Every structure is written in C-alpha cells, then in structure tokens.
Amino acid sequence: MSEAQKPQGGAFIVTPLDQAHCFTPEELSDEHRMIYKTTRDFVTNEIWPKDEIIEQKNEELVRSIFDQAGELGLLGSDVPEDFGGLGLDKVSTCVITEAMGDAGSLAVSFGAHTGIGTLPIVYYGNQEQKEKYLPGLAAGNKIGAYGLTESGAGSDAVGGCRTKAVLSENGKHYVLNGEKLFITNGGWADYFIVFAKINGTDFSAFIVERDFPGVSTGAEEKKLGINGSSTTTIILEDAQVPVENLLYQQGKGHHIALNVLNIGRYKLGAATVGGCKGAFKLAVNYANERQQFGRPISGFGMMQEKLAQMATKIYVTESVNYRTVGLIENSLKGVDMNAEGYAEQASEAIREFAIECAICKVLGSEILDFVVDETVQIHGGYGYTAEFKAERFYRDARINRIFEGTNEVNRLLVPGELLKRAVKGKLPLMAAGQKLLGEIMDYSPMMVELPDEPLALQEHMVEMSKKAVIFVAGVALQKYMQKLAHEQELLARVSDMIIEVFAMEAAVIRAKKAVAALGEEKASFHLDVVKAYVDQAIPRIDNWAKNAVAYVADGDDLRTQLMGLKKLLKYQPLNSIELNKRIAKRVIEKPGYPLEY
C-alpha cells in the first residue's frame, strides 16, 4: 500500500464516510473467531471458577494461570516467533484482549503483562534484550510490569520524573534511585520497565530485574476494586542495573512511554468491550429470572429501555475498537513481524492513530461504567451486596477511566493532536474550515434530499456533525490561536464532539456493511442500534457545540454562529421508545448481547 493510500490518523473529520478502511467484527476470519473462542473458554473454565481465590491475591494461582495462558499462546500474540511468541496480527491481539476483558482482576494482570510489561521490549529492545526477556514473558513463566508513575508526577510522568540514574565509576551499570507508584503486577513481576533520568536530565527506560541489588517493592495497595491484582510501589535504592539493560537510547524514554500508552489505550478499549459483554449478560439473565408482580422484570418497559441502551452502547464501542485496530493493521499490511525494522514500523503505525486510540480508551471506559452501573440498578438491592457479582463489576470498572492516562488527559489529546496535524499540513483542517465558512450561509437543510436507502439520515448527520466540529474548532482557534491549549473546558467540548463523530461513523459503516452482506431484515439489529445511538448523540453534539460558541462569542457574532450550527445540526428525533423495544426484545430472547463472533 502506497503512502498516499494509507489511512491517516484523524482524517475521518475531513473525509467522507470511508467503508474501505473500516474493519468490523463481522469481518473477523475463522482463525480470529477460533482464537476468540479459545480465550473465552479459558476465561470461563480456568479463571471464573477460581475467581474467589484470585481475589485474595493468590500469587501461586495467578502464576499457574499465566503458565496455562502462555501454553495457549495468549501471552505471545504480539511477540515475534523468533522470540517465543506467535507473531499474530493486531486483530488477533484485539480479540484475545477483548475476551480476557471479562476475567475480572486477572484481566488487569494480563493486560499489564502483555501490554506495557512486554511491548516496550518487543518494539524497542535490541536483539540481545529480546532473546533474553521475551521468551519467558511469552511463555508466562516470567511476569512483566511497568514503572512510570511517581508521587509528584501523575499525568506529567515525563516532565515530573524524579527517579535518577547515574553511571557507575567502572561504567558497568547504572545506579538508580527513586520510587514508582501504582505498579500493576508490582508484587509478582520478575521484570520491570522503569523510567529514570540519566544524570537527572535524560529521560530513559531500563529493563530492571526484581533480583538486581537495590530493587524492592512496597506493600500491596488497598484498592476499591481489581483486588485480585497486585499493585505496589517499586523502590530503587542504589539499584544496580547493567548498562546493557538501557532500553532503546539514552534520552529517548519518552518515545517508549508515549507510544506504549497509545498501545495500552486501544487495548484497554478492547478489554472494556469484554467487560461490558460480561456485565450485560449478567444483567439480562437476572432481568429474565427475577419475578415481580407475577412476571420477569425484563417484561417491564423501563427495564427494557435500560437493556436496549446498554446493548446500543456496547455495539458502538465494539465498532470503534475494531475500526481502530483495523486502521493500525492496514498500515502494517505486508510487513513481516520478524523482519528487521518491524518494530519501528509498528510503532509508527500506532503513533499515527494516537487520536483513535485515545477515543477507544475514553469511550470504552465510560460505556463500561454506564453498563456496570445499570447492571447494579437492574439487580436492585441485591446488586449492592457482595453476594452478587454486579457490585464487583461496578468496583472493578472504575479504574479504567484512570488507567493509561486519565480520561481528562485523553480528551485534551484528541483535539490537540488534531490541531497539531492541521498546523503541520498533515490534515487539511484549515482548508475544510475555509470551505465550510464559504458554504454555510447558502446551505439550507430544507433543500437536502437524502437517498432512499437504510441509514441515509444517520450518514447525513455524521457528515453534518463533522462540519460542526470543523466550525467550532475554527471559531475557537480564530479567537485563541496559540493560547487555545490553555482553554481546557473548551477543548473538552470539542473533544467530545470528535469522539461522538468517530463513534457514530464506525457504527454507521458497520451497519451498512451488515445490510450489504445480509439484507435489511437480517441486519435489523444493526440498523436499530445505530438509529438509536445517533438519535441520542446528535442532541449531545448540538449542546456541546452551542456551549463552546457561547464561550467564544457574544452579541451578534454569537447569534450568527448559533444560526450556522442550527443549520448544520437540524434533526428531527426518531421514535426512540419503539426502537428500544425492538432492541430489548432481541437481547432478552438471546439472552445477552446478540452479535457473537
């Protein structure tokens, strides 16, 4: 694929709906489906029956489960075959991560190990480092962890890093001093990816073994949820790290930290899909079994509306995650995972889609929160008791809005990265803005004739929402210029608009593909959930847009801008109650989420 043909990160805002570069779950291969089933069976048969013991932080059991996962290849999908892995494509990794997302605390231990604990070595390690460390990590007989966060540096992990590395007098090792907080797998890990500043200035990464002199871990943190996972500090007191354990290059640690976070974000999005489906199945089964007034509570309208909204949101976040992993996979098409230079190409591909990865993380974690909250509500008083798993889902889910950069940080990343690419000329955002200003005065929504085909209205509203994003971003940039980065509340609203555009478009494309493959009748669930989601999203986008321009302008300018937004986002609501009834009927009959791999 030529550079001109490759999709660009963030390009969805300035390009028409693009089916060619939108991968959907329905396009999973037989091999992908087999991998998913293998992982699901592993979770169902080997993890959930031992869940209560795992929750007690039983290291021996967790290591045993890691060994089994390694034998199945679940830990080495991203590791090249030359180093003991399977060297699978990114879609395979996505289905494994999703299936493991329903594994409770083990999902967190698994995610930290296979993602931030292993991938820095996959992408940035030299030949000797890969040969030494990757086989054990892929096999599961060694556990990995990642040490970035410090007490004075949360979101500013690079600039606020205080851990220091100094080369020893004999030049054989670095001496590290500092402390890292909130380390997942901290109490169990054999290897840590640790960040420190060489001589207090050059931010760099090191592979640190637990048995190195001066390395220790603190007590286990007492947490709200994910109690079966290990979370400790890493304490470095004159820790001796061999010079050959410097990862990548001196002073280039930020490349590793930021890119691995991008990977972690789309993987976290995939894991939240699995968590959503697990909680949703629990909710539907309970609603079908729980009797009130002589019938199951799933027969009552308000319960059905809850179930329908949960299913709709799951469909959308699932669509977003597979769209994103498809974009990354597209960029790596034809690249041999075992070839020299693969790591650089893979890193570049993932970095290209930093916006989309952030969207996966924000949308997935917030939809998971919605789903688990409604799961508790459907259970009523029982949902608040430890006897039922609903409360565990609720507690475990909360961390995901903090993991891999808080949702606030990721919200700022989305428009910030978009505007940065526009300024560099990578995205024609400025040209699109100029064109829109020239068109908007003559545009009349009353004159628009939509084709007589499924989702024509929804596709049109996606395109109008893109124009609204361009309009609001242009107005904001025009007023604040370089100071726009300091207007966080304004950027947050622009970000939410962008996130909804990407989500709506992913869902619309997926449903259109389903109609083309199955016909309208068999694709009716796809059509209903997309209509329901867009019907909810447009008023939200409209409100954020009005909020933003009301902050930027006043008087006649404000009235003019509001008039422009009214033209772009003119929308007549659908019969959402009837849509939700149809969606609920499908999930109650299933029972659970009706689209399986």
Side-chain angles (χ1 to χ4, degrees):
M1 185 183 293
S2 69
E3 291 301 316
Q5 292 174 314
K6 284 186 178 181
Q8 287 184 292
F12 63 92
I13 285 293
V14 291
T15 55
L17 183 141
D18 178 13
Q19 289 196 41
H21 291 129
C22 186
F23 184 81
T24 72
E26 287 70 38
E27 295 169 284
L28 290 171
S29 68
D30 290 342
E31 184 181 359
H32 292 140
R33 295 170 195 274
M34 182 188 69
I35 292 169
Y36 180 80
K37 184 180 185 303
T38 299
T39 314
R40 279 293 317 163
D41 289 347
F42 179 68
V43 171
T44 303
N45 299 328
E46 301 298 332
I47 297 178
W48 275 116
K50 302 162 186 170
D51 179 57
E52 293 302 326
I53 306 173
I54 292 170
E55 282 298 289
Q56 297 167 21
K57 288 188 179 69
N58 187 309
E59 180 181 351
E60 184 180 352
L61 176 57
V62 170
R63 284 190 176 275
S64 170
I65 291 172
F66 265 68
D67 284 338
Q68 293 176 69
E71 288 175 10
L72 289 171
L74 304 182
L75 304 179
S77 61
D78 275 321
V79 177
E81 292 179 83
D82 288 354
F83 306 107
L86 295 182
L88 301 178
D89 61 352
K90 296 295 175 249
V91 177
S92 296
T93 298
C94 195
V95 298
I96 292 171
T97 305
E98 180 192 321
M100 285 297 300
D102 189 28
S105 295
L106 221 294
V108 177
S109 305
F110 171 89
H113 172 85
T114 58
I116 54 182
T118 299
L119 293 183
I121 304 175
V122 171
Y123 292 133
Y124 295 97
N126 58 38
Q127 184 74 12
E128 291 74 21
Q129 290 168 343
K130 290 176 181 179
E131 289 176 353
K132 181 176 182 180
Y133 294 109
L134 290 180
L137 291 168
N141 51 51
K142 299 294 183 182
I143 294 178
Y146 183 82
L148 176 63
T149 303
E150 297 185 11
S151 60
S155 298
D156 184 21
V158 177
C161 177
R162 295 290 176 267
T163 299
K164 189 174 181 180
V166 177
L167 189 63
S168 63
E169 288 185 9
N170 61 14
K172 291 185 177 180
H173 56 259
Y174 287 97
V175 179
L176 271 62
N177 281 283
E179 187 172 303
K180 300 293 182 176
L181 302 182
F182 307 135
I183 309 307
T184 301
N185 294 341
W188 306 332
D190 302 283
Y191 310 142
F192 305 93
I193 306 300
V194 173
F195 293 85
K197 287 184 176 177
I198 296 176
N199 299 325
T201 56
D202 294 342
F203 187 73
S204 306
F206 300 85
I207 304 171
V208 177
E209 297 182 25
R210 176 179 291 279
D211 295 334
F212 285 166
V215 178
S216 62
T217 54
E220 291 284 349
E221 298 286 352
K222 296 178 180 178
K223 308 185 293 271
L224 171 68
I226 56 169
N227 289 321
S229 66
S230 171
T231 309
T232 71
T233 56
I234 301 174
I235 302 163
L236 304 162
E237 295 179 306
D238 292 331
Q240 297 178 29
V241 180
V243 291
E244 57 266 28
N245 278 40
L246 173 67
L247 188 59
Y248 195 41
Q249 298 172 22
Q250 179 171 331
K252 296 291 183 68
H254 59 286
H255 289 286
I256 302 172
L258 298 178
N259 206 37
V260 168
L261 281 175
N262 285 330
I263 299 167
R265 284 161 186 159
Y266 90 75
K267 283 196 165 191
L268 181 61
T272 63
V273 174
C276 281
K277 290 179 180 178
F280 185 61
K281 187 172 184 178
L282 196 71
V284 176
N285 283 336
Y286 184 83
N288 281 341
E289 293 166 5
R290 176 67 169 163
Q291 298 274 331
Q292 290 289 281
F293 306 104
R295 58 176 170 151
I297 63 173
S298 62
F300 293 97
M302 289 183 73
M303 282 295 156
Q304 291 180 357
E305 190 158 64
K306 287 182 182 298
L307 295 173
Q309 290 177 351
M310 292 159 80
T312 295
K313 288 178 182 289
I314 293 171
Y315 180 93
V316 171
T317 193
E318 180 183 52
S319 303
V320 161
N321 276 283
Y322 282 95
R323 181 184 186 184
T324 299
V325 77
L327 288 167
I328 294 169
E329 190 60 43
N330 237 324
S331 290
L332 292 173
K333 192 171 288 185
V335 178
D336 181 1
M337 194 176 196
N338 292 295
E340 188 177 347
Y342 166 80
E344 289 78 8
Q345 288 175 281
S347 296
E348 185 58 38
I350 293 164
R351 186 160 54 245
E352 176 65 32
F353 298 103
I355 294 169
E356 290 80 359
C357 290
I359 290 173
C360 288
K361 193 274 185 192
V362 173
L363 191 74
S365 62
E366 293 183 0
I367 285 178
L368 177 59
D369 265 8
F370 173 83
V371 170
V372 297
D373 184 78
E374 291 289 48
T375 298
V376 170
Q377 193 69 16
I378 287 167
H379 279 72
Y382 290 115
Y384 204 70
T385 68
E387 181 183 353
F388 285 72
K389 282 187 176 175
E391 67 89 30
R392 169 97 65 78
F393 276 106
Y394 185 86
R395 289 186 292 103
D396 286 352
R398 185 58 183 84
I399 187 61
N400 292 298
R401 283 160 52 199
I402 299 170
F403 271 160
E404 312 297 352
T406 65
N407 282 13
E408 289 73 23
V409 166
N410 277 280
R411 272 190 163 84
L412 294 177
L413 181 154
V414 170
E417 187 71 20
L418 197 71
L419 291 170
K420 190 190 303 179
R421 294 179 185 207
V423 169
K424 289 181 178 178
K426 290 186 70 175
L427 285 178
L429 191 63
M430 306 303 184
Q434 290 298 320
K435 183 182 177 186
L436 177 61
L437 290 175
E439 293 174 348
I440 199 165
M441 296 309 296
D442 296 327
Y443 175 74
S444 171
M446 302 299 292
M447 301 294 290
V448 175
E449 290 188 22
L450 299 177
D452 183 19
E453 59 185 45
L455 302 179
L457 173 61
Q458 288 70 34
E459 183 174 347
H460 172 70
M461 292 314 302
V462 169
E463 295 306 323
M464 290 301 101
S465 298
K466 291 181 186 182
K467 293 181 186 296
V469 169
I470 294 167
F471 181 83
V472 172
V475 167
L477 189 59
Q478 190 174 30
K479 177 167 182 177
Y480 291 104
M481 302 301 286
Q482 290 89 348
K483 295 179 180 179
L484 183 57
H486 302 293
E487 298 294 336
Q488 292 191 350
E489 304 94 329
L490 178 58
L491 287 171
R493 284 157 176 78
V494 175
S495 181
D496 282 330
M497 293 172 69
I498 295 168
I499 291 168
E500 287 290 18
V501 164
F502 189 70
M504 288 192 300
E505 186 170 67
V508 167
I509 293 173
R510 179 181 178 185
K512 285 172 73 72
K513 285 188 171 185
V515 170
L518 305 171
E520 286 187 49
E521 185 176 345
K522 290 184 178 180
S524 60
F525 180 79
H526 293 264
L527 294 171
D528 285 344
V529 291
V530 171
K531 289 175 184 176
Y533 190 82
V534 173
D535 197 60
Q536 299 164 18
I538 295 303
R540 290 196 292 264
I541 291 171
D542 186 49
N543 186 56
W544 291 321
K546 288 175 179 175
N547 239 231
V549 298
Y551 178 69
V552 171
D554 55 25
D556 289 341
D557 283 347
L558 175 59
R559 282 187 284 274
T560 300
Q561 290 168 14
L562 290 174
M563 190 181 302
L565 286 173
K566 187 176 181 179
K567 286 183 177 185
L568 295 174
L569 297 174
K570 183 177 177 58
Y571 176 75
Q572 182 173 318
L574 303 180
N575 183 349
S576 62
I577 294 176
E578 183 58 38
L579 277 173
N580 284 331
K581 284 181 183 293
R582 294 204 299 265
I583 296 166
K585 185 174 186 294
R586 286 289 301 273
V587 303
I588 290 166
E589 288 174 352
K590 168 65 184 168
Y593 187 67
L595 303 177
E596 290 191 346
Y597 307 150

